[in-house]
Amino acid sequence: MADKMKVKITVNGTLYEREVEPRLLLSDFIRHDLGLTGTHVGCEHGLCGACTVLMNGEAVRSCILFTVMADGADIKTVESLGTMEKMHPIQEAFQEKHALQCGFCTPGFLMTTVEYLGKNPNPTAEEAREAIDGNFCRCTGYENIVEAVQLAAKKMAAHEQ
Amino acid sequence: MKPAPFDYFAPTSLEEALEKLTDLGYSGKVLAGGQSLIPAMNFRMARPAALVDLNKVTELSYIKPTQDGGLAIGTMTRDSAIEDSEVVKRLFPIIAEVMPNIAHKQIRNRGTFGGAVAHADPAAQIPALSLLLDAKMKIQSKKGDRWVDAQDFFMGPFMTVLEPEDLLTEVLLPGLVPGTGTSYKQISRQRGGYAQAAAISKVVMDGIKVKDVRVVLFSVAETPVLTKEPVRVLVGQVPTTEAIEAVAEYVAQNECDPGTDIHGTAEYRRNLVRVLVRRSLTEAVERARK
Amino acid sequence: MTESLISKSIKRNEDPRLLTGNSTFIDDIEFPGMLHVAIKRSDYAHGVIKSIDTSEAKKIPGVVAIYTAEDLGDYWKAGPLQVPPPTAIPGAIFHARPLECIAKNKIRFSGEPIAVVVAESRYIAEDALDYIYLDVEMLDYVGDLEKAVEPGSALVHEDLGSNLAADVVQEVGNYEKAAAEADVVIKKRIVTTHVAGGAIENRGFVAQWDDNMKILNCWATTQGPIPMRNSIARYLGLMENQIRMINPSIGGGFGPKIMSSQIDDVIIPWIAMKLKKPIKWFEDRRENFLGTTSERDQVHYAEIALKNDGTILGVKDVFYHNTGAYDPYGMTIPLNTQTHVISNYKVPNYYTEIKMVFTNQMVVTPVRGAGRSHGIFVMERLLDAAAKKLGMDPVELRRKNLLPPEAFPFKTGVTGQDFVENILDSGNYPMALEKTVQALEYDKFKKEIQPKLRAEGKHKGIGIIMFTEGTAVGPYEGAKVMVGVTGKVNVVCAYSNQGQGHYTTLAQICASQLGVKVTDINVVIGDTGQFQWGVGAFASRGITLVGTAVHQASLKVREKALELGSKLLNTPKEELELEDGCIRIADLPEKSISLGELAMKANPTRGTVEEGMEPGLEAAAYYGPPHGATGFGCLGMIIDVDAETCKPKIERLVLTDDCGTPINPMIVDGQLHGGLQMGIGESFYEKLVYDEYGQMVTASYMDYLFPQASDMPAKMEIKHSVTPSPLNPLGVKGIGEAGAICVPACFMQALEDALYENDLDIVESSLNPSMLFHYVQKAKSA
Ligand SMILES: Cc1cc2nc3c(=O)[nH]c(=O)nc-3n(C[C@H](O)[C@H](O)[C@H](O)COP(=O)(O)OP(=O)(O)OC[C@H]3O[C@@H](n4cnc5c(N)ncnc54)[C@H](O)[C@@H]3O)c2cc1C
Ligand code: FES
Ligand code: FES
């Protein structure tokens, strides 16, 4: 076994200093070392997007990154959004539009949407669809997710005013 | 699907990285964005004994305009940085056109320009782009630096001239002649998926005649293909629909060698080459005329 | 009046916890000291095991134990069958070869488990897999359904002497006679394709043995917690109530998660008891492709006999059905195929024969659609061919032969997957057809729009097909409703939820009787510690069976509350109402008792009670229908094809569906959306492929194409009609599979229409652009 390495990673605003094996996938670090199980794992080869988190503000697949590559990085997971009592506007929009069924893929979609709406605050349906194209969902057929992304954009715009 | 163990090094300078690669020799492997390497490691199809991670070598990440109107791109420049770059859009609209076809945003946020070149996936866009644009690859090692033309860089599927101790550090793109028209056409099973066949064209017009033309195919041979027929037939000629159609037909029949897999037969993919060469050449000519 | 919340699109109770990362999925379960399992799977498809060498693997630091079939000793046994043989069908031949959870002596498919590694982490467990060496004497691979039953084929189960797993003939009328009298007989060989369930969450199992209490706690992604618990009890010799099987949140099911008596639920509890440690196995995507069940490949030799005016005289369908290496799930899938072929039309004469075949492929069990889509595909393809041959409009041909509304309830004369005669409970098929036809402006498209497009060199085709969805089969489900002292209500059942919205729909049903807020109802699903009886989530039966049980239990609780309230308020029951969480006098609302208080009163702690009294505001109910409820619909699509590249784009998709009374229309539409996505996946993207040696070449998402957002139409236009089921008080039918059933037939019809210049004869349920290209080439050269 390779030697463990020290990493310092900020996750949802908390700085964690841990020793990890170089091969530890970032998804496993987040889920099992930190216990932040909102991030899910569906394929571990970069296709499904269930493991999407933000790394320095950008959406990335945490299953195809080693934890050591995130040394010094700022990570945000679904736990950084709203709470059950007070959800984030994107989460509210997903509920209102019935954009989730089993909910397994959902954290990945949410994090993808966070990055996307930050840069494109007013997407058309076609743009919203393109934005979520890299995330798989088996339950919803995507249509309600597209609508939720657009509704979230409206909610966020209203929040800002 | 967890990777096998490996030793890990994260140099913070180019110097250090080159040193490490020389030390490690055949047991070392470069880790760039990891978007090709890590999935392969998760399947345990790749089991490098040691990784040299370039992510902390910040000096390898840049997009610098050159004097001839071209660009020097540091190997660790993320795909998404290139996609969003204003200077890239201005100088090489074809690059901006191609980038969104590579995987999805989440992958492009990590995948690197140089990583794709070094990886030399025959179905990848960036190696083909580098060939189309006549790129020069800067290769550095403890032994010294050298430059290799894109034409000589790709040896076969996932094979390049890079030796274990070598690092690709920069891709240099010579500037385009003003008025160059370019166009990209690909067919993939799904958006963001690898192309089943693709053609990129670059055309310079002289009045109504073609002054210069370059068409690169990929995903239909072991390496990207710089076609010959377009140059032979079209330079100095009026690029009529018929002429373009004939070139496309010739290229499809003679200048590619697609294989059959579960997603398509060789015959189908040859057909795609014909269609895509025609479409991209036609569009490039139109754009060059403007 | 208690407000009815039936047919209201209410936001889901379960969403906030799912949206904020507060749900517990299987892989989120962690215990101190937990050990992790990885499964070594065979790389060979067929062979005799010479030896399995685990010695080197055992030496790896962190590896705790490795087990092969040999190491299991007497614990190793096959089975049981999860679905019994179809003895109800006269003359049915069925050879039971239940699943061997871990290969002993022989390997029957590539991906079959051969060893189980237990280690301190999943990483280490996977390291060990690399050092387990399997020595096999290879046998020929059996993969072709038709060749498999020819003499001389290698045998998946030698003792059988043949690869024929079952042969079931059913006949209504006399097809041969009908064919002899027909003006036209059309024969076709039609193939349906192997696809995966494809839930984004893979399967998983966690077991923890409490050695003091002698209780085995299990968490599993199973769609059938009770059958799985019972299977474990049988294996381990435990009483049922010594095993607490809990469904955590489940990330999609789609069929394959129904299976029990597999490697995980057989071995992991055993290891947990043996090592006295909590054990986790969470399948990865590769093994999900290789080892988890899937379905859909059948080869049909089908014919249809018609009169010149388009009247159907008869249908004959002899088909091969791939059951994979074993047949633990009986004949559910092919029996569904048999019933669905003729479920929309008047078919007076029908001959249907299943030849179920063992192959060296993964075990076949239902995937959303489960045999139904294949039946629909066969019939609709036959009708399309007939329409061409007769020069009739395809919609007109369907119109002519549809079962009329007055035909219901309609006995098809064929026995279905539930082993009872297939009876279509209610329907109005012409209405569904006309709704879709109108929404698509079919006539205008055909007569005005399409000719213009064709003149411009465009290739847009239209398809319209009919389908049914046999749902809600028995035997039964149950539920218990209990009002708590806080006035909140618990609804518990041992069903299983994978995203269908039961936390909300069951609450709606209960709230409609008890007058409480939907958000004040806590639904517990799939915890055998809380409810002991049930069968499982398959055949779109949840809302009909569990829903009806909840409805009936709620009625009982309501009645109990009214009785007690009447005593306490000194008012006749008829003058009371349940609303706003209390029971009150309708004309004097300030005279009320909260349900919570009533619940306390219903559980006296001193004094005496009347004879026969049952404590608590609690009641259980069980419901079993006489036969399934059949939903139906009509799908229409317009597809734009790039004729040069053979890439299609779905321009419009209109689905009219009827599932009886919708409990929550928003959720119904969601089910249809997801089903349609799977149907589109099957039609043009998804396909499990084995090579000539029986190696799966599609064991990753790079090769197995999962339908993405951009593969879907911009809008799925969903229309409804409501023809309540007469079988249950709510009038509901299932809805889970409709979308997955109808797409391939419609897709192919539209493709043929789009590429009209050549007479394509598409006989496969799954294409890709290259295959379509070759269909065109073939038609050109014909
Ligand atoms: C889901 C998914 C879809 C994808 N789709 C596409 C697609 O459609 N088209 C496409 O082109 N790509 C696609 N990719 C691949 C992606 O673009 C990769 O990121 C890229 O090909 C490799 O870049 P990287 O920086 O990630 O390299 P890495 O994965 O880090 O490295 C790839 C290889 O190159 C070597 N290497 C990297 N940098 C250097 C260097 N500077 N010097 C020497 N050797 C080096 C590494 O040792 C390794 O062998 C996809 C990836 C995923 C996960
Ligand atoms: S788990 Fe990371 S992309 Fe699927
Ligand atoms: S909601 Fe189930 S996979 Fe998306």
Side-chain angles (χ1 to χ4, degrees):
Chain A
M1 201 188 301
D3 289 344
K4 288 202 170 182
M5 316 269 306
K6 274 211 177 80
V7 290
K8 288 188 193 178
I9 303 176
T10 303
V11 182
N12 301 337
T14 306
L15 178 69
Y16 295 90
E17 293 189 38
R18 296 288 161 108
E19 292 210 331
V20 299
E21 243 194 294
R23 63 167 162 168
L24 183 70
L25 298 173
L26 182 60
S27 47
D28 285 331
F29 174 75
I30 292 169
R31 291 178 42 73
H32 300 304
D33 286 38
L34 302 185
L36 296 169
T37 54
T39 300
H40 295 153
V41 165
C43 73
E44 291 181 310
H45 54 286
L47 272 289
C48 78
C51 65
T52 305
V53 299
L54 299 189
M55 182 167 172
N56 302 327
E58 292 181 331
V60 300
R61 313 283 211 215
S62 60
C63 73
I64 49 171
L65 286 175
F66 297 120
T67 309
V68 287
M69 295 165 83
D71 184 29
D74 181 58
I75 303 286
K76 288 224 161 46
T77 69
V78 65
E79 286 89 349
S80 71
L81 302 179
T83 61
M84 278 174 65
E85 293 70 36
K86 176 123 196 42
M87 291 197 288
H88 186 281
I90 300 177
Q91 292 166 318
E92 284 173 11
F94 269 62
Q95 178 175 30
E96 282 165 36
K97 287 291 178 187
H98 188 36
L100 66 155
Q101 291 184 31
C102 76
F104 193 78
C105 67
T106 312
F109 277 94
L110 295 174
M111 299 320 284
T112 296
T113 306
V114 171
E115 185 203 15
Y116 180 73
L117 291 181
K119 294 179 183 161
N120 308 272
N122 188 19
T124 62
E126 211 178 311
E127 289 162 351
R129 188 174 285 276
E130 198 181 324
I132 57 151
D133 203 27
N135 289 69
F136 291 175
C137 174
R138 191 58 152 179
C139 300
T140 64
Y142 305 105
E143 185 164 308
N144 292 348
I145 301 180
V146 171
E147 289 181 14
V149 171
Q150 288 190 285
L151 177 62
K154 286 202 191 86
K155 280 177 180 269
M156 286 165 77
H159 261 251
E160 250 138 58
Q161 275 158 15
Chain B
M1 286 176 47
K2 312 293 183 191
F6 52 84
D7 290 326
Y8 173 81
F9 304 95
T12 50
S13 69
L14 173 59
E15 179 77 34
E16 216 187 310
L18 296 179
E19 195 126 333
K20 211 58 264 170
L21 283 172
T22 301
D23 287 356
L24 290 166
Y26 277 95
S27 61
K29 196 156 186 63
V30 174
L31 174 63
Q35 303 300 285
S36 295
L37 185 53
I38 301 177
M41 289 174 70
N42 288 359
F43 277 108
R44 298 198 180 210
M45 293 184 312
R47 297 159 179 266
L51 290 183
V52 178
D53 182 355
L54 299 184
N55 283 282
K56 287 189 175 163
V57 187
T58 44
E59 66 198 275
L60 291 177
S61 180
Y62 53 84
I63 304 172
K64 284 185 207 152
T66 57
Q67 283 187 338
D68 75 340
L71 284 174
I73 299 179
T75 187
M76 283 301 289
T77 312
R78 309 283 171 196
D79 294 348
S80 59
I82 290 167
E83 179 181 1
D84 296 341
S85 155
E86 287 307 322
V87 62
V88 169
K89 266 177 220 156
R90 188 158 42 79
L91 297 179
F92 293 95
I94 187 66
I95 299 182
E97 186 178 338
V98 168
M99 294 312 286
N101 292 285
I102 301 174
H104 291 99
K105 189 77 168 65
Q106 298 94 325
I107 312 287
R108 297 197 297 274
N109 279 340
R110 298 308 300 170
T112 64
F113 199 79
V117 170
H119 191 49
D121 186 331
Q125 285 87 349
I126 293 173
L129 264 180
S130 71
L131 186 57
L132 180 92
L133 299 173
D134 214 0
K136 315 261 175 284
M137 316 298 185
K138 183 173 187 184
I139 300 172
Q140 293 186 265
S141 78
K142 285 280 282 180
K143 280 190 253 158
D145 302 353
R146 63 189 200 275
W147 287 92
V148 176
D149 287 350
Q151 282 205 56
D152 305 321
F153 184 82
F154 302 105
M155 313 280 287
F158 308 100
M159 280 189 298
T160 67
V161 298
L162 291 169
E163 297 291 334
E165 68 277 10
D166 284 343
L167 198 61
L168 171 69
T169 53
E170 184 181 286
V171 179
L172 183 69
L173 304 172
L176 291 181
V177 178
T180 303
T182 50
S183 164
Y184 178 57
K185 299 289 170 198
Q186 75 164 48
I187 291 289
S188 58
R189 289 294 314 274
Q190 293 177 292
R191 176 189 229 135
Y194 285 95
Q196 290 185 280
I200 329 181
S201 303
K202 187 172 112 178
V203 175
V204 183
M205 298 293 288
D206 181 4
I208 57 161
K209 293 191 177 152
V210 173
K211 183 166 173 212
D212 191 13
V213 56
R214 212 169 157 94
V215 178
V216 168
L217 314 175
F218 68 91
S219 215
V220 287
E222 299 201 325
T223 58
V225 179
L226 177 59
T227 58
K228 301 196 178 76
E229 184 73 356
V231 187
R232 203 177 64 79
V233 174
L234 293 178
V235 172
Q237 302 297 318
V238 180
T240 60
T241 312
E242 295 71 31
I244 289 176
E245 179 75 60
V247 164
E249 180 66 39
Y250 182 91
V251 166
Q253 293 312 325
N254 303 293
E255 296 205 57
C256 61
D257 184 20
T260 292
D261 64 19
I262 55 170
H263 300 299
T265 61
E267 193 185 343
Y268 170 69
R269 292 166 70 188
R270 250 184 231 287
N271 169 66
L272 289 183
V273 169
R274 181 180 59 79
V275 175
L276 298 177
V277 167
R278 188 193 73 221
R279 289 181 184 178
S280 90
L281 257 179
T282 306
E283 187 170 72
V285 166
E286 264 167 37
R287 287 175 176 173
R289 279 184 182 136
K290 278 188 189 143
Chain C
M1 266 294 286
T2 311
E3 190 196 355
S4 171
L5 299 173
I6 306 295
S7 297
K8 297 239 156 76
S9 290
I10 289 171
K11 280 197 287 190
R12 300 199 319 167
N13 277 347
E14 54 266 59
D15 286 347
R17 62 173 187 264
L18 288 167
L19 281 161
T20 54
N22 281 299
S23 273
T24 300
F25 288 88
I26 192 83
D27 191 36
D28 304 347
I29 298 169
E30 299 273 357
F31 291 108
M34 189 146 93
L35 298 176
H36 298 263
V37 157
I39 298 168
K40 175 77 181 176
R41 293 173 182 277
S42 167
D43 293 327
Y44 308 101
H46 197 191
V48 177
I49 299 176
K50 295 292 206 197
S51 68
I52 303 171
D53 181 359
T54 59
S55 54
E56 222 176 300
K58 279 182 179 148
K59 288 183 204 142
I60 295 174
V63 171
V64 176
I66 299 180
Y67 304 102
T68 62
E70 200 93 322
D71 301 314
L72 297 185
D74 290 345
Y75 187 67
W76 187 95
K77 55 177 172 279
L81 283 185
Q82 197 161 337
V83 175
T87 44
I89 302 170
I93 297 168
F94 178 81
H95 302 293
R97 286 299 177 275
L99 190 65
E100 296 180 7
C101 68
I102 184 164
K104 190 179 192 171
N105 307 326
K106 202 180 159 183
I107 282 161
R108 296 197 173 85
F109 68 97
S110 123
E112 188 164 17
I114 54 163
V116 174
V117 177
V118 188
E120 282 163 14
S121 78
R122 173 74 185 213
Y123 286 75
I124 297 171
E126 289 191 25
D127 291 344
L129 299 184
D130 293 343
Y131 294 92
I132 296 175
Y133 305 107
L134 171 68
D135 186 11
V136 166
E137 186 188 314
M138 301 264 282
L139 297 170
D140 285 345
Y141 162 66
V142 181
D144 181 300
L145 292 186
E146 295 173 72
K147 289 196 186 125
V149 289
E150 283 171 11
S153 168
L155 296 174
V156 180
H157 299 275
E158 282 81 4
D159 60 313
L160 259 184
S162 151
N163 289 317
L164 191 69
D167 198 321
V168 174
V169 176
Q170 303 204 60
E171 184 158 23
V172 181
N174 182 337
Y175 174 77
E176 292 308 330
K177 189 159 164 278
E181 287 162 7
D183 296 322
V184 190
V185 174
I186 292 164
K187 301 186 184 189
K188 272 177 167 304
R189 180 179 181 275
I190 297 172
V191 178
T192 56
T193 299
H194 211 142
V195 294
I200 303 296
E201 180 199 42
N202 292 313
R203 299 188 317 110
F205 198 102
V206 173
Q208 180 206 41
W209 170 243
D210 184 331
D211 201 33
N212 293 333
M213 303 286 284
K214 305 288 180 228
I215 295 280
L216 180 70
N217 292 307
C218 298
W219 292 259
T221 53
T222 177
Q223 291 174 222
I226 296 286
M228 183 176 271
R229 177 201 63 178
N230 296 353
S231 167
I232 295 170
R234 173 185 170 276
Y235 266 98
L236 291 171
L238 295 174
M239 284 300 294
E240 280 84 338
N241 65 359
Q242 280 183 283
I243 301 170
R244 183 169 178 193
M245 169 67 65
I246 302 173
N247 271 165
S249 285
I250 300 178
F254 312 111
K257 285 179 178 168
I258 192 71
M259 273 297 288
S260 48
S261 313
Q262 301 189 98
I263 180 87
D264 44 310
D265 61 302
V266 172
I267 301 226
I268 291 167
W270 180 81
I271 299 173
M273 287 175 75
K274 204 175 166 71
L275 300 180
K276 299 194 171 48
K277 290 270 193 183
I279 309 285
K280 183 198 282 188
W281 169 70
F282 185 44
E283 180 186 64
D284 63 34
R285 184 54 61 186
R286 182 170 173 272
E287 48 179 345
N288 181 274
F289 276 121
L290 292 174
T292 287
T293 57
S294 58
E295 72 141 321
R296 288 246 207 291
D297 48 332
Q298 294 181 344
V299 177
H300 290 254
Y301 286 87
E303 21 179 312
I304 186 165
L306 309 103
K307 285 207 284 207
N308 271 335
D309 70 356
T311 309
I312 300 173
L313 295 179
V315 169
K316 179 177 177 184
D317 183 24
V318 176
F319 66 99
Y320 298 82
H321 169 76
N322 182 8
T323 189
Y326 304 90
D327 57 3
Y329 214 82
M331 301 195 67
T332 298
I333 300 166
L335 287 172
N336 269 345
T337 307
Q338 286 193 317
T339 50
H340 280 72
V341 167
I342 54 159
S343 56
N344 284 107
Y345 304 101
K346 292 172 280 188
V347 181
N349 301 287
Y350 179 42
Y351 177 94
T352 172
E353 179 172 0
I354 305 166
K355 289 178 190 292
M356 191 160 97
V357 182
F358 287 120
T359 59
N360 292 122
Q361 295 184 0
M362 74 174 85
V363 176
V364 168
T365 69
V367 169
R368 191 182 212 173
R372 304 172 184 84
S373 53
H374 330 17
I376 298 299
F377 188 72
V378 167
M379 186 64 181
E380 296 296 319
R381 288 280 69 201
L382 286 175
L383 286 173
D384 289 341
K388 280 187 201 170
K389 180 112 186 184
L390 296 170
M392 258 178 103
D393 179 83
V395 168
E396 200 45 50
L397 179 62
R398 284 164 172 87
R399 223 174 241 143
K400 188 171 181 74
N401 288 290
L402 281 181
L403 285 170
E406 58 282 6
F408 297 89
F410 183 79
K411 293 187 178 186
T412 63
V414 183
T415 297
Q417 62 144 312
D418 50 355
F419 303 154
V420 294
E421 187 186 359
N422 183 231
I423 300 176
L424 307 170
D425 57 330
S426 67
N428 189 338
Y429 298 170
M431 181 167 66
L433 176 65
E434 299 313 330
K435 273 198 179 205
T436 298
V437 163
Q438 273 168 26
L440 279 174
E441 298 186 285
Y442 179 79
D443 292 327
K444 186 170 169 203
F445 182 85
K446 277 271 171 193
K447 294 196 184 103
E448 295 171 31
I449 300 172
Q450 197 177 47
K452 256 191 230 146
L453 291 169
R454 286 181 176 175
E456 291 164 19
K458 301 221 170 80
H459 295 85
K460 262 185 213 175
I462 192 164
I464 293 192
I465 65 100
M466 297 294 301
F467 68 96
T468 62
E469 179 192 11
T471 75
V473 297
Y476 83 97
E477 286 295 335
K480 192 166 72 182
V481 171
M482 188 196 85
V483 180
V485 292
T486 58
K488 295 196 177 171
V489 180
N490 243 338
V491 172
V492 300
C493 62
Y495 202 66
S496 171
N497 177 77
Q498 304 87 37
Q500 303 92 322
H502 297 129
Y503 296 98
T504 309
T505 47
L506 296 180
Q508 281 176 258
I509 292 172
C510 177
S512 299
Q513 296 308 326
L514 298 186
V516 295
K517 288 205 219 88
V518 167
T519 46
D520 280 341
I521 297 181
N522 176 44
V523 178
V524 175
I525 302 173
D527 178 350
T528 68
Q530 301 208 34
F531 196 77
Q532 295 269 349
W533 300 101
V535 184
F538 56 90
S540 300
R541 56 202 289 284
I543 205 59
T544 313
L545 275 80
V546 186
T548 302
V550 168
H551 173 71
Q552 287 169 342
S554 304
L555 278 174
K556 286 190 198 172
V557 171
R558 178 186 172 88
E559 194 50 35
K560 252 181 156 175
L562 286 171
E563 295 269 353
L564 190 57
S566 154
K567 272 187 213 148
L568 296 172
L569 292 169
N570 249 328
T571 309
K573 273 195 305 189
E574 299 68 44
E575 291 171 25
L576 298 177
E577 62 178 18
L578 270 91
E579 216 169 327
D580 292 340
C582 55
I583 196 154
R584 64 192 183 199
I585 300 173
D587 298 337
L588 234 133
E590 58 283 5
K591 285 211 70 176
S592 72
I593 309 178
S594 75
L595 277 181
E597 211 180 319
L598 213 58
M600 289 231 261
K601 294 266 180 352
N603 182 29
T605 53
R606 290 294 183 278
T608 55
V609 297
E610 285 167 27
E611 202 185 316
M613 166 273 191
E614 286 179 9
L617 283 188
E618 178 184 291
Y622 299 88
Y623 169 72
H627 55 82
T630 301
F632 59 92
C634 176
L635 175 67
M637 285 192 193
I638 295 177
I639 301 184
D640 189 359
V641 183
D642 177 340
E644 286 188 317
T645 62
C646 289
K647 294 276 288 180
K649 183 161 174 39
I650 303 171
E651 193 154 279
R652 282 191 70 190
L653 183 157
V654 177
L655 171 62
T656 303
D657 188 83
D658 191 321
C659 63
T661 311
I663 301 298
N664 183 322
M666 171 187 87
I667 288 176
V668 165
D669 283 0
Q671 287 290 315
L672 291 172
H673 287 174
L676 287 166
Q677 179 192 349
M678 280 183 78
I680 290 168
E682 177 181 352
S683 303
F684 220 73
Y685 301 94
E686 300 179 45
K687 194 173 203 168
L688 289 171
V689 181
Y690 285 93
D691 70 10
E692 58 194 306
Y693 306 105
Q695 297 295 323
M696 184 179 286
V697 291
T698 51
S700 85
Y701 281 139
M702 296 303 285
D703 303 302
Y704 187 89
L705 304 185
F706 189 96
Q708 297 173 186
S710 55
D711 299 325
M712 299 294 292
K715 177 94 195 140
M716 292 176 266
E717 302 169 53
I718 310 278
K719 318 263 168 220
H720 295 280
S721 62
V722 178
T723 311
S725 171
L727 301 175
N728 61 73
L730 297 170
V732 291
K733 301 178 177 185
I735 186 60
E737 303 174 81
I741 292 170
C742 54
V743 183
C746 189
F747 208 100
M748 302 316 161
Q749 192 190 113
L751 288 183
E752 285 184 358
D753 188 46
L755 297 170
Y756 65 99
E757 287 116 326
N758 298 291
D759 183 15
L760 306 191
D761 182 15
I762 299 175
V763 291
E764 286 153 288
S765 69
S766 175
L767 292 188
N768 61 33
S770 176
M771 291 165 78
L772 186 56
F773 170 81
H774 286 285
Y775 266 107
V776 175
Q777 299 305 103
K778 195 175 145 203
K780 271 186 187 159
S781 61

